[in-house]
Amino acid sequence: MLSRFSFSVCLLLLIAIPVHAADLPLAAPESVGMSSSKLNQINELMNQQLEENILAGGVVIVARKGKVVFFEAYGHRDLANDKPMEKDTIVRLFSMTKSIATAAAMMLVEEGKLEVEAPASKYVPALSTVKVWTENGLVEPKREITVADLMRHTAGFGRGGDDAVGKAFNKAKLSQSKDLDDYVNRLAAVPLAYQPGEEWIYSNSIDVLGLIIQKVSDQPFGEFLQERFFDPLDMTDIGFYVPAEKLDRFAVNYKRSEDGLIPISNSEADARYHSMPAVQSGGGGLVGTAADYMKFLLMIANGGEWNGKRYLSPETIKLMTTNQLPEAAFPISFGSQVRHGTGYSFGFNVHTADTEWDPAARVGEYGWGGAASTHYWVSPNDDGLIVVTLEQIMPYTFDTEWLLKPVIYDAINDN
């Protein structure tokens, strides 16, 4: 039986949540061992960021033990037009796409259609010709790129930049690709930055994985995601573009300046989101809402099953949420940023040790983020604590995650 207090909190949550998200499982914080008063500190911290022009707006949603216990929106999705950020505001998820793409690949692994340790060239022949850049010229790879390499960013792909690999990457003009096949053909012509499996470099490898999913499933990548995840999980606003009837809910993207927040979004920059793109990017192409992403994470945190439907096995979820990097790949770096105590699984980063890099994080915690400073993390050792925060600020910053994380963990009160 719910107490009168718990019933009242659940009723308020139901009233406040948009209709499309009303099927989220709700609970009073105290019923899952969390403190309402401590969770309410999130409001103060988010409003503080608004007052200091750190954010235009944001959404925060928290769940534990499979129940949503906090869901609030703050500030504006569009400052110039005085449009508030709302719980069903649609944002650019960017690299939060990666975990969904990897989950799709693992579904095909379970069906026996895809092998994790198989050469990726088995599915995409263009990858059989890749070479590795060295100071003494191009050399053959010691071994082929595997599907596992694609999922954990150990494939060897580099990024744009001023070095030889970076210049070749820029010359490939991936943004001009006519479809996923063309995209991967262009990428395969760029020398690898290192031998497959020997280092970790965040790259375009999940885009390649999207093409493999498309070929193995024999259906368009986006169609596969829609059929296997979006529709059955009732992720109603997620996709590779924003339909015309939903554009009013699409948040403006901002950057910080000495004069305050400046919109990055404009008609030209956002045109890519107004129709289905030629390349459906598994690495960063999705847009969606907080409720959409929470539904996906509830399924992951529940061992691959949700609302009576199994999507992935517990064994697969274990692979996806535990470190898969060899010791030699530690510590991983993101540009000049060294992230001590952080590994990578099939789709998520994984906190492997307590360090000063992310001091409030818990060992075993997994998650990631998106280029517009969206964040999410899950702590399986804390009864499946899940947090998603969505804002639209570039370049990427950890501000909101690191500000809220200690407060949210402190709200756990099982006694």
Side-chain angles (χ1 to χ4, degrees), residues 6 17 28 87 96 99 101 146-147 166 178 189 224-225 234 239 247 257 273 278 285 324 327 332 347 371 384 408:
S6 298
I17 290 177
K87 293 174 183 176
M96 287 172 64
S99 57
T146 64
V147 173
K178 63 182 181 181
F224 184 87
L225 296 183
D234 196 28
L247 282 172
S257 77
Y273 294 107
Q324 301 298 322
E327 189 65 31
I332 69 171
I408 293 171

Side-chain angles (χ1 to χ4, degrees), residues 165-355:
V165 173
K167 289 177 180 177
F169 185 93
N170 295 336
K171 187 177 179 181
K173 297 182 179 179
L174 297 179
S175 63
Q176 296 180 15
S177 303
K178 63 182 181 181
D179 54 29
L180 264 175
D181 274 294
D182 184 33
Y183 183 98
V184 174
N185 286 337
R186 290 169 184 254
L187 184 62
V190 178
L192 299 182
Y194 61 94
Q195 289 286 347
E198 294 188 0
E199 295 183 44
W200 185 94
I201 294 182
Y202 196 57
S203 71
N204 299 61
S205 63
I206 307 297
D207 292 317
V208 180
L209 190 67
L211 177 61
I212 291 178
I213 292 167
Q214 183 166 286
K215 288 184 176 294
V216 170
S217 67
D218 197 28
Q219 63 185 131
F221 176 47
E223 186 178 296
F224 184 87
L225 296 183
Q226 192 73 41
E227 180 181 304
R228 299 299 191 93
F229 289 110
F230 303 161
D231 285 343
L233 282 169
D234 196 28
M235 299 165 72
T236 55
D237 290 318
I238 198 165
F240 286 105
Y241 73 102
V242 185
E245 67 274 15
K246 297 180 180 182
L247 282 172
D248 186 59
R249 287 198 277 134
F250 192 36
V252 174
N253 202 5
Y254 291 92
K255 66 178 180 180
R256 296 171 186 166
S257 77
E258 293 181 356
D259 299 319
L261 299 174
I262 298 174
I264 299 173
S265 301
N266 54 49
S267 57
E268 182 178 349
D270 282 351
R272 59 178 286 201
Y273 294 107
H274 294 175
S275 61
M276 182 64 76
V279 176
Q280 298 173 344
S281 168
L286 290 175
V287 296
T289 66
D292 288 330
Y293 212 82
M294 176 56 77
K295 290 173 185 178
F296 171 73
L297 291 178
L298 283 166
M299 178 273 291
I300 295 291
N302 196 48
E305 186 271 338
W306 192 249
N307 280 344
K309 178 178 173 62
R310 179 152 296 282
Y311 296 82
L312 295 162
S313 70
E315 294 76 19
T316 291
I317 296 298
K318 188 72 172 177
L319 284 173
M320 291 183 64
T321 58
T322 54
N323 175 57
Q324 301 298 322
L325 293 182
E327 189 65 31
F330 283 81
I332 69 171
S333 297
F334 201 99
S336 61
Q337 190 182 76
V338 180
R339 300 184 179 182
H340 294 283
T342 302
Y344 209 87
S345 64
F346 293 159
F348 305 96
N349 76 300
V350 182
H351 198 67
T352 59
D354 291 326
T355 70

